[in-house]
Amino acid sequence: MNNKEFIAAIAEQTGKTQKEATEILDQWVNELKNDVVEKQVAQIDGVGYLETRMREQRTIVNPGSKQRMLIPPKMVVAFKPIHRVKNEIN
């Protein structure tokens, strides 16, 4: 499902227009973003968690030139599904 289909489904289920559904979705995404930035974790009820993790420094090798490059550590956002969702997927 792409973004356009997702917004159409939200609009249909809520009885709102697609423009209103887009605004609702944008506000929800902004709140999730703010939670992850401020609290380092955001819970999505019934689905899982978005959390920030520190990705370690690592070395990669360019396969063409065989040149080694050092990738510095950085913060990334990871999704961790709840146990029930993991079982449904498997």
Side-chain angles (χ1 to χ4, degrees):
M1 175 180 283
N2 63 25
N3 194 36
K4 189 175 182 179
E5 293 169 345
F6 186 60
I7 290 172
I10 291 173
E12 182 180 323
Q13 290 178 8
T14 60
K16 306 274 185 187
T17 65
Q18 286 194 5
K19 184 176 181 179
E20 292 170 330
T22 302
E23 291 171 1
I24 291 168
L25 184 62
D26 288 342
Q27 290 172 356
W28 183 72
V29 168
N30 285 334
E31 285 300 316
L32 273 177
K33 236 187 318 186
N34 292 338
D35 280 352
V36 170
V37 169
E38 291 173 9
K39 301 175 190 170
Q40 305 297 318
V41 65
Q43 180 179 356
I44 305 169
D45 289 337
V47 180
Y49 300 90
L50 288 172
E51 60 186 8
T52 56
R53 296 182 185 165
M54 184 63 140
R55 183 175 283 172
E56 297 296 322
Q57 175 177 313
R58 64 189 197 277
T59 304
I60 62 170
V61 179
N62 182 332
S65 66
K66 307 293 186 212
Q67 179 184 8
R68 292 181 174 270
M69 292 179 273
L70 185 65
I71 305 295
K74 65 180 180 178
M75 296 295 287
V76 294
V77 177
F79 176 73
K80 183 178 180 183
I82 62 174
H83 188 68
R84 188 181 72 214
V85 172
K86 277 185 178 179
N87 289 340
E88 289 178 15
I89 291 172
N90 294 330

